[in-house]
Amino acid sequence: MITLSVIKADTGGFVGHSAVHPRLTAEARREIERAKSSGLLVDGHVESCGDDISLIMTHTYGPEAGLIHSFAWDTFQATTHIAKDLGLYGAGQDLLSDAFSGNLRGMGPGYAEMEFEERPSEPVLCFLADKTEPGAWNLPLYKMFADPSNTAGLVIDEKMHAGFAFEVYDLCEDRRIVFDCPAELYDMLMYIGAPARYVVHGVRSKTLGTTAAATSTQRLSLIAGRYVGKDDPVMIVRCQSGLPAVGEALEPFAFAYSVAGCMRGSHHAPIMPVPVGQAHPSRFDGPPRVVALGFQIKDGRLVGPRDMFDDPAFDGARRQATEVMDYLRRHGPFEPHRLPLEDLEYTTMASLTRRLSHRWTPITTEVATPAGLR
């Protein structure tokens, strides 16, 4: 069995929240090489999307392994030290604890992991996103694994025809449920259509009995009790031979669908599929970006990556994202560009509510006059 882990963190932005400084990625690559030499990792790759560093690693310790999570934590501590030396913005902002405590659950860094038996050919896509939240994967996962208009294999591939099981997390109540699709598809859509709360954590093939997709579901604001940046999720999708073809897994991103995030994590904006070299959101901290790295895994080795969105076939989605961003920006501080109030809990809304509470009166009474107008 091989385990694929993608662990990410924002340990300092260059400039502002737009990118990762080359010295941070260089340090992370040095740590990966040391871990390979010591035998901790079978293989590893470092990539960035926006201001987040992602460690893409193969090993034999299984998901939630303390050794692997500790290595990632130490690596992010090292990059944080460099970020502070360079004066980078928000140095170490995703590291919400002073010390490692067994695994990364609740400590800030996001991670997606899966363990599987390698097939003779094992194509895998690693998706990295910036300036958005874990629910950003709900729509594409539905399209990949449950929508025959997107994935022809659901109709014509015998191994896919029985459907997939979706594990969904309720991030507010800390609970989960598994939906059997297509039988419970409409039930599931009622929940995952609200991606701020309900998030697809994983997908399994009912025919093959194996994991097909895994996502990061960490919500930094729910962990910290305050706004500390968006969660910038990652996702792993296995492809081919009874699972969606690579082209079917990429197809949902030909549409610049709306996600929550962007400036101060408080706005709706279109997600833009881009090659790695363009994964640096700057305009109003957006549009949110997603990159797709393709690997063939052989004996645990990461053969690749291929930059899957470095393809003119996605130019239409990029143009669409730019046009939709123009449209939404013209709303300024109004919905639907700004998130609804219930999603602004960790902004000024809480203190504003307390400060103005005494001035709100029943409509049938006299309005309380502001002090400056008396």
Side-chain angles (χ1 to χ4, degrees), residues 146-165:
D147 182 0
S149 295
N150 180 92
T151 301
L154 292 167
V155 176
I156 64 179
D157 186 331
E158 288 185 4
K159 294 179 181 178
M160 296 179 66
H161 197 76
F164 293 84

Side-chain angles (χ1 to χ4, degrees), residues 25-46:
T25 52
E27 176 65 18
R29 289 184 179 118
R30 281 192 291 269
E31 293 296 332
I32 288 283
E33 289 305 315
R34 292 190 189 104
K36 288 166 59 179
S37 297
S38 72
L40 178 67
L41 300 179
V42 178
D43 205 355
H45 178 77
V46 177

